[in-house]
Amino acid sequence: MEAYIYDAVRTVRGKGNKKGALMGVTPTELAAQVLIELKEKNDLDTTQVEDVILGCVGQVMDQAANIAKTAAQHSGYGDHLCGVTLNRFCGSGLESINQAAAYVKSGFRNLMVAGGVESMSRVKMGSDGAGMFMDPSVAIPGHIVPQGISADLIATKHGYSRADVDTFAYESQMRASKAEAAGLFNKSRIAVKDINGITVLGTDENIRPQTTIDALGNLKPSFAQMGQMAGFDAVAIDRYPEVEEINHVHHAGNSSAIVDGAAITLIGNKAAGESLGLKPRFRIRAAAIHGTDPTIMLIGPAPASKKALNQAGMNVGDIDLFEVNEAFAAVPMLFLDEMGVDHSKINVNGGAIALGHPLGATGCMLTGTLMDELERRDLNTGLITLCIGGGMGIATIIERV
């Protein structure tokens, strides 16, 4: 049985700090607004939707107590609608889509919504604790270091200079700025409104069209002091002795921006769509995950993508466009090198460096962005992939119907 994506909706992304436009909007409201838009846009009979799966990494405070069910209740879909919240770190939004597809393909469900939400201004990263990183009995034998150290380790090991990662970051900003100016995000993106229906934020808040290479070059490395003073560089070098010294090249301008946002997709089988008069946009061809060494941790996208391609009986040349999450500039740069893909096919409208990375929602946002761009260019196949904290990668292949 096939699993189809009937539609995708996301909110604008707001800066994830106390000055961000969306700080006053609860994550429940963010998730509910995309659910409501999905319903209204498709004239959806919500009694036919059986379950909501939402990715959310910081499941405490405003995001605690199963925010998927909370948002489902708040959306007006009906008391029948169930909800489950999952956490595969940065891959959560894509994992929710993959799990929904698995339910549909197995015949256990007919129609579901899947996506993610993260309010990083209200629930700070790490607020839920970090056993893997803070528990010495796990961190020490695992040579586990913070993600920024892992990103700098990748850059050092593979020879990416400060100029290289800054140039990649600049290109992300320019692509996102051009896409924003052309209205390319408008098909699936909605403004966030307050309880009075007044727009709180109507565009992605983090895009910086004024970015220059020189300005990026003046930013101080974010992880040098942490690596040297806290000893994390020594931990990484102990695991990778071929690296004599970590070259700290990542900073706020070439790493993913901290933002708020939510996204959702409507996923179902053919019969469910036909009964509701819905036309499928894409089918989910394959989905894969891959574990990696937790020290270097962020190298999972390429092996996960290779697994997904093998599962689908495809090769990398069969993919028209890619969305590779820009957690740090070195991550998609390594993907380009390992997969032999031209930069012109990856993150064509910018990535998380420019737009932001609302942890639990990003994978779903990338999926919607890719769907829109494949349709706009009249192309057929796309691959979404993200690196994941602790040493994982996730990838999904979609194909136009």
Side-chain angles (χ1 to χ4, degrees):
M1 186 180 296
E2 296 280 8
Y4 296 101
I5 305 177
Y6 287 95
D7 208 359
V9 177
R10 75 164 175 96
T11 66
V12 292
R13 295 165 165 104
K15 291 182 179 180
N17 56 49
K18 63 182 180 181
K19 296 181 180 179
L22 299 183
M23 186 180 183
V25 183
T26 67
T28 295
E29 184 63 29
L30 290 174
Q33 288 196 23
V34 290
L35 284 165
I36 293 166
E37 174 66 18
L38 184 73
K39 174 179 65 175
E40 294 178 350
K41 183 180 176 184
N42 294 280
D43 192 21
L44 183 62
D45 178 2
T46 59
T47 64
Q48 302 305 302
V49 182
E50 299 165 86
D51 205 358
V52 178
I53 305 179
L54 285 184
C56 183
V57 176
Q59 294 183 34
V60 293
M61 298 181 285
D62 285 342
Q63 297 177 165
N66 191 2
I67 191 171
K69 176 56 181 171
T70 307
Q73 198 68 38
H74 192 49
S75 69
Y77 273 47
D79 293 343
H80 74 285
L81 187 58
C82 297
V84 62
T85 308
L86 61 81
N87 180 8
R88 195 188 285 281
F89 293 160
C90 299
S92 299
L94 191 58
E95 176 66 22
S96 69
I97 290 173
N98 293 349
Q99 287 197 19
Y103 271 119
V104 170
K105 289 173 77 69
S106 71
F108 287 177
R109 303 278 193 280
N110 295 312
L111 189 67
M112 303 179 65
V113 287
V117 62
E118 206 80 36
S119 176
M120 301 181 76
S121 63
R122 298 172 72 97
V123 182
K124 301 300 182 184
M125 194 159 41
S127 296
D128 55 340
M132 180 185 298
F133 300 98
M134 302 300 292
D135 184 347
S137 68
V138 178
I140 293 173
H143 287 79
I144 294 172
V145 298
Q147 287 189 15
I149 304 298
S150 298
D152 286 340
L153 174 60
I154 291 171
T156 304
K157 192 170 184 295
H158 293 275
Y160 305 141
S161 69
R162 172 66 183 265
D164 293 334
V165 292
D166 282 353
T167 299
F168 187 95
Y170 172 78
E171 180 65 20
S172 180
Q173 288 286 356
M174 294 305 101
R175 290 182 179 192
S177 298
K178 183 178 179 181
E180 179 65 63
L184 301 188
F185 299 126
N186 294 339
K187 183 175 181 179
S188 298
R189 184 182 67 181
I190 63 167
V192 173
K193 299 181 178 181
D194 64 16
I195 59 173
N196 298 311
I198 298 172
T199 296
V200 176
L201 182 65
T203 59
D204 292 307
E205 194 175 19
N206 195 73
I207 301 174
R208 299 185 294 276
Q210 73 278 11
T211 299
T212 65
I213 293 287
D214 287 344
L216 290 171
N218 289 330
L219 296 175
K220 293 182 179 180
S222 296
F223 309 104
Q225 186 174 2
M226 174 193 298
Q228 293 158 11
M229 301 297 290
F232 290 118
D233 282 3
V235 173
I237 292 169
D238 185 58
R239 180 68 180 83
Y240 289 88
E242 68 272 23
V243 176
E244 296 182 1
E245 182 180 359
I246 304 294
N247 183 20
H248 291 285
V249 298
H250 288 96
H251 51 75
N254 58 33
S255 306
S256 56
I258 293 172
V259 296
D260 304 336
I264 206 76
T265 53
L266 179 64
I267 297 174
N269 59 29
K270 184 178 181 180
E274 288 178 344
S275 70
L276 294 169
L278 299 172
K279 182 180 178 181
R281 293 174 62 187
F282 286 81
R283 66 167 56 87
I284 297 173
R285 282 284 304 267
I289 54 172
H290 184 85
T292 73
D293 164 40
T295 307
I296 203 163
M297 134 172 22
L298 307 174
I299 60 172
S305 297
K306 290 175 182 177
K307 276 187 177 181
L309 288 165
N310 184 62
Q311 184 185 121
M314 303 170 73
N315 60 57
V316 70
D318 296 323
I319 303 298
D320 294 316
L321 294 176
F322 299 78
E323 284 289 330
V324 184
N325 189 39
E326 295 173 359
F328 301 90
V331 174
M333 291 173 67
L334 180 62
F335 182 88
L336 286 167
D337 289 344
E338 291 190 331
M339 299 296 289
V341 179
D342 191 87
H343 194 187
S344 64
K345 297 176 69 173
I346 290 183
N347 303 352
V348 296
N349 292 324
I353 290 171
L355 293 157
H357 176 22
L359 304 180
T362 304
C364 185
M365 288 189 170
L366 296 182
T367 302
T369 297
L370 186 57
M371 289 167 57
D372 289 349
E373 190 62 20
L374 286 167
E375 290 173 341
R376 191 180 75 85
R377 296 186 181 207
D378 195 23
L379 299 174
N380 293 312
T381 57
L383 186 150
I384 310 103
T385 184
L386 301 92
C387 63
I388 302 174
M392 293 182 281
I394 188 169
T396 302
I397 297 172
I398 60 173
E399 181 181 58
R400 261 179 91 187
V401 176

